[in-house]
């Protein structure tokens, strides 16, 4: 039975429609959609760019479009094919889909499977766009050109020690293997290129040689790139089971390195992990995709036998590890059960990490039965996905350093700098979250997960260590800080940003400082706090009390730092303690609210260019007027909803003491409304929820007598109710209460409107007025 897998965009992802059918790609899901804070739930390793004969001295990897036409070549690569397809399946159909953003009707000229590596180049943050020189300036300045390692018309990797294409534009025989079966069909604004199955199968079997495709068109046309917000390139794969009869399986288990001063000696270990004797094989070493040595081995390895090969190189011929890829690969001379383990990459200057893991029986997602192959796949994922795809405005190519497998042991180890894993057969089927976390920590990333919990607020978009922020902020001015909590934000609502859950901004800044031998990132010298309520309205003349928190999560005994906001809600905070966590209390209108400021938030701000002064937006759930908590304006009032249910079905929502949950409509724009009988000045709305949460996103509206909902105003907005329940709600007896403070507003009708897809449940609603005279 055929199975179709799609490498697509997050925005067009569809649910599974049949066994073995998935929608996958950069930013799209490949696992349980309920698990949204694990990077491995998505595919991120998709890269593309345009190289142009008319613009040979710039790189375009950060562009949201791909330009086609005479004198242009589109380069595109889809990584992670092995974990997408899985073991013992083969590709029998492959279609590349591009969505047109402008230009003529596309006419395909040529498609090739690239046989050499190339660099996508950096993203283009807003700050770079604002200071980008003109083409005339670039042409007249020899020091301006493509970013280091980026592909251009002349070079597949530009900059220091640049590597040219054999023929400009990636058109040489040693650049790519033509795909004669490739044909294009156009339907509307979508171009589908079919006939890529053999090429995709080769990339599946040889992940070390998956360099993607080079595509040329005869006429001028633009397509959306993988950096576009929507309609990203799609690779559609059709697979079927492949025979698995066992046999010999030659595996490159590791490349070990010993430094000898001016030189380094590399030792590649090849082992037969199959169940039959392997025939002699050839092997080669390659630096940055260029073969350095090629030879023949006469060994016939029996099952379990291994042999070694050596290479001596000068120490660190390039300063940055990511440019120093060293590959050892073999070409079996006879049948080989799993080609995907026939090569291993390392990086000159990579940080070695030892691994202690049990020798579990089972087939991994490469199709191999060797646990070492699975471990190497974990390192490949970190080097090819985690490091380069954790990109920010100040780190447009992600992490510059790389890691490598050091000493591998299948017996329990004791070393502090060792990954210790107990692996089950089920773990072998994918990338391991725990393994990636340990690699990140041993590479030098800070453990931000220690500060992400319900006591001090969970981080919304955590990285592999469990904390921090993984949203790409390059499209936002550096002076603007992201909302830390799920609150209404005009900026974020208009310009949503994508989180990867890979490495956070603070982790990347820390790792790159380590790689470059620079001091660790620090906080801004001066801090301004802009205090506002949950809707973003400034809290003027509010007293702030800031205390350091200890690693144990308690408040430090030192005296607090005191500050007071001005008429615009801004306060200058002097002499801020340099600790990992700060507690901030604000007082207004007989209420006190507590929130937290984490050191990584300050490091993020400084890394984005705010090292001297940073303005941090802090939200407090404070009322703008005193609240009369003794009065419930909704008590026993009439309730209606969009579905037109009978009042008796909804009345428990406004019945004091009720613990009965009321089902909420599952469609976007469904609503529930309470009539307060006459106009009153509101100050607070409280929701009571049980085990089933309400809508994940909703707005609370209010409007007066003689008005309609079109005249209503937004009293409060909820952007992630489950987070709010865990982090803001008060829980008693299995019920939780969520409080929404609102600006004093005279209304009669209170309406909750669903802004998400899916239903929920609500136990009760209370509406409290402002105190008289407040």
């Amino acid at each position: 039975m055929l199975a179709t897998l799609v490498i697509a965009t997050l925005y067009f992802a569809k649910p599974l429609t049949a066994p073995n059918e998935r929608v996958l790609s950069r930013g799209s899901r490949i696992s349980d959609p309920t698990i949204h804070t694990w990077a491995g739930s998505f595919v991120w390793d998709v890269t593309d760019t345009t190289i142009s004969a008319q613009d040979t001295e710039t790189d375009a990897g950060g562009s949201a479009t791909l330009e086609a036409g005479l004198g242009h070549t589109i380069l595109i690569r889809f990584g992670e094919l092995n974990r997408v397809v899985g073991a013992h399946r083969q590709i029998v159909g492959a279609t590349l889909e591009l969505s047109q953003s402008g230009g003529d009707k596309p006419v395909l000229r040529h498609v090739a499977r690239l046989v050499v590596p190339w660099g996508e180049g950096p993203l283009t943050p807003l700050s770079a766009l604002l200071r980008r020189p003109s083409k005339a300036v670039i042409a007249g300045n020899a020091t301006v050109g493509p970013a280091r390692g980026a592909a251009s018309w002349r070079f597949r990797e530009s900059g220091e020690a640049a590597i040219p294409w054999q023929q400009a534009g990636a058109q040489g025989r040693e650049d790519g293997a033509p795909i004669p079966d490739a044909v294009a069909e156009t339907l509307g604004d979508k171009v589908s290129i079919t006939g890529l199955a053999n090429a995709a199968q080769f990339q599946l079997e040889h992940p070390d040689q998956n360099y993607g495709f080079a595509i040329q068109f005869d006429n001028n046309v633009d397509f959306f790139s993988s950096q576009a917000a929507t309609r990203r390139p799609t690779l559609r794969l059709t697979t079927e089971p492949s025979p698995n009869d066992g046999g010999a399986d030659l595996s490159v288990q590791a490349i070990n390195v010993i430094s000898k001063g001016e030189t380094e000696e590399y030792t590649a270990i090849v082992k037969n992990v199959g169940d039959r004797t392997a025939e002699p094989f050839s092997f080669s070493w390659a630096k940055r995709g260029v073969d350095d040595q090629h030879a023949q081995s006469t060994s016939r390895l029996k099952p379990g036998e291994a042999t070694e090969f050596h290479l001596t190189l000068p120490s660190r011929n390039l300063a940055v590890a990511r440019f120093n890829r060293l590959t050892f690969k073999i070409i079996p001379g006879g049948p080989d059960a799993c080609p995907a383990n026939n090569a291993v990459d390392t990086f000159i200057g990579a940080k070695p990490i030892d691994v202690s893991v049990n020798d579990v029986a089972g087939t991994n997602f490469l199709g191999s039965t060797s646990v070492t192959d699975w471990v190497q796949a974990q390192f490949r994922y970190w080097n090819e996905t985690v490091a380069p795809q954790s990109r920010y405005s100040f780190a447009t190519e992600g992490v510059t350093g790389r890691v490598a497998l050091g000493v591998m042991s299948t017996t329990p180890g004791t070393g502090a700098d060792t990954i210790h894993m107990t692996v089950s057969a089920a773990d072998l089927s994918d990338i391991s979250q725990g393994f990636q976390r340990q690699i990140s920590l041993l590479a030098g990333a800070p453990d931000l997960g220690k500060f992400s919990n319900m006591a001090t607020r969970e981080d919304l978009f955590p990285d592999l260590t469990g904390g921090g922020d993984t949203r790409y902020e390059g499209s936002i001015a550096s002076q603007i800080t992201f909302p830390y909590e799920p609150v209404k934000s005009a900026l974020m609502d208009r310009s949503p940003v994508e989180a990867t859950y890979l490495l956070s901004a603070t982790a990347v800044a820390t790792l790159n400082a380590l790689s470059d031998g620079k001091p660790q990132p620090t906080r801004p010298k001066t801090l301004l706090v802009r205090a506002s309520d949950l809707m973003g309205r400034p809290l003027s003349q509010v007293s702030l009390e800031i205390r350091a928190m200890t690693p144990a999560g308690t408040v430090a005994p030192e005296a607090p730092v005191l500050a007071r906001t001005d008429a615009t809600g801004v306060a200058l905070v002097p002499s801020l303690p340099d600790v990992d966590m700060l507690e901030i209390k604000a007082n207004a209108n007989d209420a006190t609210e507590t929130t937290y400021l984490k050191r990584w938030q300050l490091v993020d701000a400084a890394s984005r260019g705010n090292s001297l002064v940073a303005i941090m937006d802090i939200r407090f759930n404070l009322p703008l007027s005193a609240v009369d908590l003794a009065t419930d304006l909704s008590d026993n009032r009439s309730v209606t909803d969009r579905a037109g249910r009978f009042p008796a079905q909804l009345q428990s929502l406004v019945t004091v003491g009720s613990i009965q949950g009321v089902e909420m409509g599952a469609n976007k724009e469904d609503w529930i409304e309470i009539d307060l009988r006459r106009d009153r000045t509101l100050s607070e709305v409280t929701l009571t929820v049980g085990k089933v949460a309400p809508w994940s996103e909703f707005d609370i509206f209010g409007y007066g007598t003689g008005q309609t909902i079109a005249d209503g105003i937004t009293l409060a907005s909820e952007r992630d109710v489950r987070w709010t329940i865990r982090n803001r709600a008060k829980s008693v007896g299995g019920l939780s209460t969520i409080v929404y403070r609102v600006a004093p507003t005279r209304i009669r009708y209170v309406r909750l409107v669903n802004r998400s897809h899916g239903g929920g449940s609500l136990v009760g609603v209370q509406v409290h007025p402002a105190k008289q005279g407040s």
Side-chain angles (χ1 to χ4, degrees), residues 249-256 267-273 278-285 297 299 301-302 304-310 328-332 336 341-344 373:
D249 183 9
L250 291 173
S251 166
V252 181
Q253 296 272 282
I255 300 176
N256 299 324
T267 300
I269 301 173
V270 178
K271 182 179 180 180
N272 182 1
V273 298
E279 297 300 318
F281 55 92
S282 60
F283 66 90
S284 65
W285 295 88
S297 171
S299 301
L301 298 180
K302 296 179 181 179
E305 284 188 337
T307 186
E308 298 181 353
F309 302 91
H310 303 274
F328 182 85
K329 60 183 176 182
I330 60 174
I331 301 176
D336 190 64
N341 59 4
N342 287 351
V344 160
D373 291 340

Side-chain angles (χ1 to χ4, degrees), residues 425-606:
D427 294 329
L428 300 176
S429 64
D430 205 351
I431 295 299
S432 164
Q433 182 175 7
F435 207 109
Q436 295 303 311
R437 181 179 188 275
Q438 291 196 57
I439 291 179
S440 301
L441 292 175
L442 291 180
D447 187 0
L448 301 181
K450 293 187 298 185
F451 312 106
S452 175
N453 54 69
M454 288 183 286
T456 55
R457 307 284 163 83
E458 297 170 306
D459 297 341
L460 275 170
F461 306 100
D463 69 5
L464 293 167
T465 74
D469 194 338
T470 60
R471 290 175 291 181
Y472 173 68
E473 31 61 77
S475 60
I476 307 297
S478 61
Q479 295 82 7
I480 299 175
T481 57
F482 285 174
Y484 168 62
E485 299 177 352
V487 293
K488 182 178 178 60
S489 166
L491 176 65
M492 293 295 102
D493 290 346
R494 285 196 309 267
S495 306
V497 291
E498 189 171 55
T500 64
Y501 307 103
L502 292 167
L503 289 174
S504 64
T506 288
V508 172
T510 302
L511 289 169
N512 284 349
L514 287 171
S515 179
D516 297 338
K518 295 180 179 179
Q520 292 294 289
T522 59
R523 310 173 314 164
K525 295 184 185 305
T526 301
L527 178 65
L528 296 174
V529 168
R530 182 188 288 123
S532 59
D533 71 357
L534 296 188
M535 290 293 287
R537 294 174 290 242
L539 296 171
S540 62
Q541 305 304 322
V542 169
S543 298
L544 302 178
E545 185 178 289
I546 305 172
R547 294 179 180 270
M549 297 193 69
T550 69
T554 59
V555 177
E558 289 79 14
V561 175
L562 302 178
R564 187 173 180 83
T565 65
D566 61 17
T568 65
V570 176
L572 172 64
V573 181
S575 305
L576 195 66
D578 190 7
V579 294
D580 289 320
M581 179 83 69
L582 295 167
E583 177 193 79
I584 307 180
K585 287 187 176 181
N587 302 280
N589 299 307
D590 302 327
T592 299
E593 283 292 315
T594 301
T595 190
Y596 303 90
L597 182 63
K598 301 179 181 181
R599 190 177 190 277
W600 66 255
Q601 295 173 261
L602 298 172
V603 171
D604 282 6

Side-chain angles (χ1 to χ4, degrees), residues 24 40 95 138 188 221 245 325 357 394 411 419 471 474 490 556 577 640:
L24 311 161
T95 300
I138 293 173
V221 58
D245 299 326
R325 186 187 298 269
V357 62
F394 58 89
T411 57
I419 292 177
R471 290 175 291 181
T640 56

Side-chain angles (χ1 to χ4, degrees), residues 77-82 85 89-94 112-117 174-179 195-213 235 237-239 329-332 338-343 366 380:
R77 172 184 175 274
F78 294 84
E80 304 183 46
L81 293 183
N82 296 89
V85 174
R89 300 196 71 85
Q90 60 186 355
I91 297 171
V92 295
R113 175 180 61 80
L114 288 164
V115 299
V116 289
E174 296 178 11
D175 299 323
I179 304 176
L196 308 179
N198 291 337
Q201 178 65 21
F202 180 89
Q203 294 166 347
L204 175 71
E205 294 178 349
H206 304 86
D208 64 298
Q209 299 178 62
N210 178 8
Y211 304 127
F213 304 96
L235 180 65
L237 302 177
T238 303
T239 72
K329 60 183 176 182
I330 60 174
I331 301 176
C338 178
N341 59 4
N342 287 351
L366 298 174
R380 179 188 293 274

Side-chain angles (χ1 to χ4, degrees), residues 702-770:
Y703 62 102
T705 302
Q707 295 180 322
T708 68
I709 190 61
D711 304 308
I713 61 171
T714 305
L715 302 175
S717 289
E718 177 59 72
R719 292 294 179 261
D720 188 339
V721 77
R722 288 171 177 80
W723 184 95
T724 299
I725 292 171
R726 292 194 304 270
N727 293 273
R728 283 192 182 277
K730 295 180 180 179
S731 298
V732 178
L735 297 177
S736 298
T737 56
I738 315 172
V739 175
Y740 298 93
R741 269 68 184 261
V742 304
T745 309
R746 194 163 181 80
I747 63 152
R748 172 177 173 175
Y749 301 95
V750 177
R751 177 179 289 196
L752 279 66
V753 181
N754 187 8
R755 297 305 188 197
S756 57
H757 295 283
S761 178
L762 190 60
V763 172
V765 181
Q766 290 180 307
V767 179
H768 299 293

Side-chain angles (χ1 to χ4, degrees), residues 65-117:
T65 58
L66 300 169
E67 298 180 24
L70 295 178
H72 292 80
T73 302
I74 292 173
L75 310 179
I76 185 166
R77 172 184 175 274
F78 294 84
E80 304 183 46
L81 293 183
N82 296 89
R83 64 187 295 246
V84 167
V85 174
H88 307 316
R89 300 196 71 85
Q90 60 186 355
I91 297 171
V92 295
T95 300
L96 175 61
E97 297 177 348
L98 301 172
S99 294
Q100 190 172 349
S101 61
D104 304 328
K105 182 176 180 180
V107 178
L108 182 67
R109 168 183 271 197
H110 175 76
V111 181
R113 175 180 61 80
L114 288 164
V115 299
V116 289

Side-chain angles (χ1 to χ4, degrees), residues 16 83 100 116 128 146 161 178 180 215 217 277 298 349 382 397 409 425 442 602 606 609 611 656 666 698 746 755 769:
L16 306 187
R83 64 187 295 246
Q100 190 172 349
V116 289
I215 308 168
F217 290 85
T277 299
T298 59
W382 199 94
E397 293 182 271
S409 173
L442 291 180
L602 298 172
S611 58
V656 176
F698 57 86
R746 194 163 181 80
R755 297 305 188 197

